[in-house]
Amino acid sequence: MIIDTHCHIYNSEIENAEEIIEKAAENDISLILNGTDPLSNKEILRLTDRYENVYAALGYFHSFADEITDENLSLLDEQLNNDKVIAVGEIGLDYYHRKDNKDEQKELFEKMLNLAEKHDLPVIVHSRKSMQDTLDILKRHDVAGSMHCYQGSAEMAREFIKLGFYIGIGGPVTHKNNKKTRKMVKEIDISHMLVETDSPYLTPEEKRGEKNTPLNLRYIIRKIAEELDMAEDDVIKITGENARELFGI
Ligand SMILES: [Zn+2]
């Protein structure tokens, strides 16, 4: 079984979510759907109820930092008790997208990390142009998790690994001009890597121009195998064990 550790296959993101989930199941792929707001979290719980190969990471994303209410927070607190919820995510900081509300983003991120600690769940973290702040905040919390679609240096990756984090490798590793990520992949050990697609975003080079789906995980696995000079089956086996270890699946 292959695990796509980060994707957004639900109806507010993509119309034919059910069809994609069923196709993934036929191909022996399990999905961790990542929520970003009250609506997507609710949609995900409907899908985890219905499909065996679907797990949930629920959370509130940085882009909702100005909107999340106390009521939203207690709803999430309640939802995290569901057995199919295996992480808090997608959460984090993004100063590329917005620089003017860093404090609000940090505050929401802290609240999400507190909830993860309370429920003893790992986290799935988004960090763009905010690596140092992300690391500083994570250091203050007792959580493990995944650095989703990690685009930083190997040196910085090792800092996250020290905290018990795994490094999420997605479509950008296949992108022609992205030598930086391929170099990083060679420098960190595969025992710290997870694979993910971020579908319907971040489509691999081979399918550029199309919406991404979890079936494209194969291109990411192939690229990692190529870079590390390993068999694809071993990449699947080791990254799968990593995911099961982290998320307790
Ligand atoms: Zn995402």
Side-chain angles (χ1 to χ4, degrees), residues 8-9 30 36 43 49 54-55 64 81 104 113 125 135 172 176-177 187 193-194 201 219 221 230 240-241:
H8 302 275
I9 302 299
S30 287
T36 57
E43 289 177 321
D49 267 354
V54 174
Y55 298 88
F64 299 93
N81 293 318
E104 288 81 0
L113 293 167
V125 175
L135 181 66
K176 254 191 202 127
N177 297 329
E187 289 178 23
M193 282 181 217
L194 299 173
Y201 307 105
Y219 301 113
I221 290 162
M230 282 176 80
E241 282 166 5

XYZ file of all heavy atoms in Angstrom, residues 8-9 30 36 43 49 54-55 64 81 104 113 125 135 172 176-177 187 193-194 201 219 221 230 240-241:
220
model
N -5.631 17.227 -1.294
C -6.876 17.970 -1.042
C -7.978 17.480 -1.984
O -8.505 18.231 -2.794
C -6.654 19.474 -1.254
C -5.578 20.047 -0.396
N -5.814 20.474 0.890
C -4.261 20.237 -0.620
C -4.674 20.910 1.414
N -3.714 20.780 0.515
N -8.272 16.183 -1.892
C -9.284 15.601 -2.775
C -10.638 15.603 -2.061
O -11.024 14.620 -1.417
C -8.864 14.172 -3.208
C -7.506 14.211 -3.906
C -9.910 13.550 -4.140
C -7.453 15.053 -5.168
N -3.585 4.787 -0.407
C -4.369 5.412 0.655
C -4.065 6.900 0.666
O -2.968 7.323 0.289
C -4.012 4.818 2.013
O -4.552 3.526 2.098
N -8.356 22.676 5.505
C -7.786 24.011 5.689
C -8.726 24.945 6.446
O -8.304 25.984 6.925
C -7.482 24.663 4.322
O -8.701 24.704 3.553
C -6.438 23.884 3.553
N -16.130 18.251 4.985
C -16.184 17.408 3.777
C -15.296 16.172 3.944
O -15.662 15.067 3.536
C -15.691 18.199 2.563
C -16.643 19.288 2.121
C -16.063 20.106 0.955
O -14.846 20.393 0.957
O -16.830 20.451 0.058
N -15.600 8.633 6.495
C -16.684 7.725 6.903
C -16.999 6.733 5.801
O -17.311 5.577 6.045
C -17.973 8.537 7.145
C -18.094 8.935 8.605
O -17.247 8.474 9.397
O -19.008 9.708 8.936
N -9.207 6.328 3.055
C -9.077 7.774 3.288
C -8.924 8.076 4.775
O -9.719 7.629 5.598
C -10.320 8.519 2.731
C -10.272 9.985 3.097
C -10.393 8.365 1.213
N -7.874 8.842 5.090
C -7.631 9.317 6.458
C -7.678 10.839 6.461
O -7.564 11.473 5.412
C -6.260 8.843 6.951
C -6.154 7.343 7.017
C -5.736 6.611 5.903
C -6.506 6.657 8.174
C -5.662 5.221 5.949
C -6.433 5.269 8.231
C -6.013 4.561 7.116
O -5.941 3.192 7.154
N -6.642 31.581 6.759
C -7.858 31.893 7.510
C -7.530 32.537 8.863
O -8.388 32.628 9.736
C -8.703 30.627 7.707
C -9.133 30.022 6.397
C -8.387 29.027 5.789
C -10.255 30.504 5.739
C -8.758 28.506 4.559
C -10.635 29.983 4.515
C -9.888 28.983 3.919
N -11.331 14.121 17.770
C -11.568 12.854 18.485
C -11.928 11.700 17.550
O -11.882 10.542 17.949
C -12.712 13.015 19.495
C -12.324 13.945 20.624
O -11.205 13.868 21.131
N -13.224 14.841 21.006
N -0.845 37.287 13.400
C -2.086 36.498 13.415
C -1.806 35.072 12.933
O -2.341 34.106 13.473
C -3.158 37.145 12.515
C -3.773 38.435 13.071
C -2.907 39.667 12.838
O -1.810 39.540 12.234
O -3.319 40.759 13.277
N -0.980 23.906 17.134
C 0.021 23.037 17.759
C -0.423 22.643 19.168
O -0.209 21.496 19.594
C 1.382 23.750 17.793
C 1.998 23.970 16.400
C 3.163 24.946 16.477
C 2.462 22.654 15.788
N 2.764 20.384 8.253
C 3.107 21.806 8.289
C 3.436 22.371 6.913
O 4.229 21.806 6.160
C 4.309 22.034 9.243
C 4.777 23.477 9.205
C 3.936 21.638 10.666
N 10.450 26.939 12.385
C 11.332 26.126 13.221
C 11.301 26.612 14.671
O 11.167 25.810 15.607
C 12.763 26.178 12.665
C 13.805 25.357 13.412
C 13.523 23.866 13.301
C 15.211 25.661 12.895
N 7.223 19.014 -7.012
C 8.334 19.896 -7.408
C 9.679 19.184 -7.579
O 10.530 19.645 -8.329
C 8.378 20.921 -6.273
C 6.946 21.016 -5.822
C 6.426 19.598 -5.916
N 11.773 20.396 -13.868
C 13.052 20.518 -14.567
C 14.061 21.428 -13.883
O 15.219 21.079 -13.734
C 12.794 21.036 -15.991
C 12.951 19.959 -17.015
C 12.972 20.519 -18.421
C 12.593 19.386 -19.358
N 11.494 19.730 -20.259
N 13.610 22.606 -13.476
C 14.558 23.589 -12.943
C 14.810 23.464 -11.449
O 15.572 24.230 -10.886
C 14.062 25.004 -13.256
C 14.011 25.229 -14.751
O 14.817 24.661 -15.497
N 13.058 26.027 -15.205
N 20.821 14.492 0.044
C 21.596 14.784 1.258
C 20.923 14.355 2.557
O 21.559 14.334 3.601
C 21.940 16.279 1.318
C 22.984 16.647 0.283
C 23.321 18.121 0.287
O 23.112 18.775 1.327
O 23.763 18.613 -0.759
N 11.962 10.532 4.975
C 11.149 11.096 3.888
C 9.745 10.510 3.822
O 9.541 9.332 4.113
C 11.801 10.802 2.530
C 12.957 11.687 2.192
S 13.572 11.219 0.546
C 15.322 11.450 0.818
N 8.809 11.357 3.385
C 7.447 10.917 3.056
C 7.163 11.340 1.626
O 7.756 12.313 1.137
C 6.430 11.604 3.979
C 6.550 11.359 5.478
C 5.570 12.260 6.224
C 6.267 9.896 5.809
N -2.995 20.256 -6.658
C -1.927 21.220 -6.980
C -0.612 20.497 -7.269
O -0.533 19.284 -7.157
C -1.743 22.192 -5.803
C -3.040 22.834 -5.388
C -3.694 22.437 -4.230
C -3.645 23.792 -6.196
C -4.906 23.001 -3.861
C -4.864 24.363 -5.843
C -5.486 23.957 -4.685
O -6.689 24.489 -4.324
N 5.355 9.255 -10.283
C 6.444 10.062 -10.874
C 7.391 10.579 -9.788
O 8.589 10.721 -10.006
C 5.864 11.232 -11.668
C 4.956 10.775 -12.784
C 3.587 11.038 -12.745
C 5.468 10.060 -13.861
C 2.742 10.613 -13.756
C 4.636 9.621 -14.883
C 3.279 9.893 -14.821
O 2.451 9.457 -15.822
N 7.887 9.066 -6.831
C 8.631 7.887 -6.364
C 9.759 7.549 -7.344
O 10.892 7.297 -6.951
C 7.664 6.692 -6.185
C 6.749 6.959 -4.983
C 8.415 5.377 -6.038
C 5.499 6.108 -4.928
N 18.105 3.825 -6.111
C 17.435 2.748 -5.375
C 16.339 2.164 -6.254
O 15.901 2.814 -7.205
C 16.709 3.322 -4.142
C 17.588 3.629 -2.966
S 16.597 4.400 -1.672
C 15.828 2.945 -0.963
N 6.621 4.323 2.972
C 5.355 3.817 3.522
C 5.498 3.491 5.000
O 4.632 3.821 5.810
N 6.606 2.850 5.348
C 6.859 2.546 6.769
C 6.985 3.835 7.570
O 6.480 3.931 8.691
C 8.161 1.732 6.919
C 7.991 0.256 6.579
C 9.325 -0.472 6.403
O 10.404 0.144 6.644
O 9.291 -1.642 5.998
